[in-house]
Amino acid sequence: MASSRSLSMSMACAVLVLSLGVVMVNSVGLSRFDELFHPSWALDHFSYEGEALKMKLDHYSGAGFSSKSKYMFGKVTIQIKLVEGDSAGTVTAFYMSSDGPNHNEFDFEFLGNTTGEPYLVQTNVYVNGVGNREQRLNLWFDPTQDFHSYSILWNQRQVVFLVDETPIRVHSNLEHRGVPYPKDQPMGVYSSIWNADDWATQGGRVKTDWTHAPFVASYKGFHIDACECLIAVADAANVRRCGGGEKRFWWDTPTMSELSLHQSHQLLWVRSKHMVYDYCSDKTRFPVVPVECVHHRH
């Protein structure tokens, strides 16, 4: 038993490059999508069309899937084509999350709308179980007409949300300012589609029109370049292996500690042209500006 545990710990973390239907491990061996991910609920609401995975929401159920592995630091990307037509009341989510009441979580939530109205993309960051850090923006393209890539980059210095490699949000490590930062909990990768017409569209004023069901979101091009952690291994062991103490990963290099000048300009453009809500500016919810908002440069 002891030797088995030692073997598990020695294998705790490995850098894998994962893709939909394919996983490359040390340049050899291929895996199918269902060897990397699995439906977490409503298996009968999944279908496949060529290389695309489709999940549907109808009056009976939504659907969701999760990664079989968990990760600590790296980059996760998924290509999504969102629900076409009248999608009011629906939410399609792509996110990373750890477990437990004090979990960490990075969210993309795509909030459906009535036909002709723009999709809103809501991002949120939970640290030690505390969220309430919502930002919302309109996309600069129609996300229902084609696949676009959505990514989360996570290292010890920053969490970056990207759309087609354009940064739309940065959550920096401000521990030196007394702000907790997510850095010690392995996180799974998840996606789901569900009915949230109590809040998703215009604050819940527009309800889901079930005559348009089923609502279908399509996925392809999963890519995970991250430090993989065995679930059975203690978090402290994962931190030692994935935190750069034993090996230096590409996301730990100095150039990844902050946005490049070009990326900073992109983020400023997104914020000035497309952001419609920022919790940092919501004085009704936060009469006292949250401390991370004071110190964040973006």
Side-chain angles (χ1 to χ4, degrees), residues 123-125 131-136 169-171 179 271 275-294 296:
T123 59
N124 203 351
V125 176
N132 296 323
R133 298 181 175 92
E134 298 91 347
Q135 292 183 354
R136 292 185 181 184
R169 179 174 185 169
V170 175
H171 183 83
V179 180
R271 290 184 62 88
M275 181 167 285
V276 297
Y277 176 81
D278 183 1
Y279 79 106
C280 288
S281 304
D282 191 334
K283 295 183 178 179
T284 300
R285 291 178 62 199
F286 304 100
V288 177
V289 178
V291 64
E292 69 266 22
C293 299
V294 175
H296 270 143

Side-chain angles (χ1 to χ4, degrees), residues 16 18-19 28 43 54 64 69 78 86 119 126 132 139 141-142 148 174 183-185 192 195 225-226 264-265 285:
L16 299 182
L18 311 183
S19 61
V28 296
L43 180 59
K54 295 177 178 285
S69 297
I78 184 173
D86 188 343
Y119 255 87
Y126 285 75
N132 296 323
L139 291 169
F141 53 82
D142 184 346
H148 291 268
L174 296 172
K183 65 176 186 178
D184 57 1
Q185 298 180 35
S192 58
N195 178 44
D225 189 354
S264 296
H265 290 161
R285 291 178 62 199

Side-chain angles (χ1 to χ4, degrees), residues 248-261:
R248 196 151 183 88
F249 301 104
W250 66 264
W251 52 82
D252 291 323
T253 59
T255 56
M256 303 305 298
S257 64
E258 60 183 6
L259 298 185
S260 67
L261 181 61

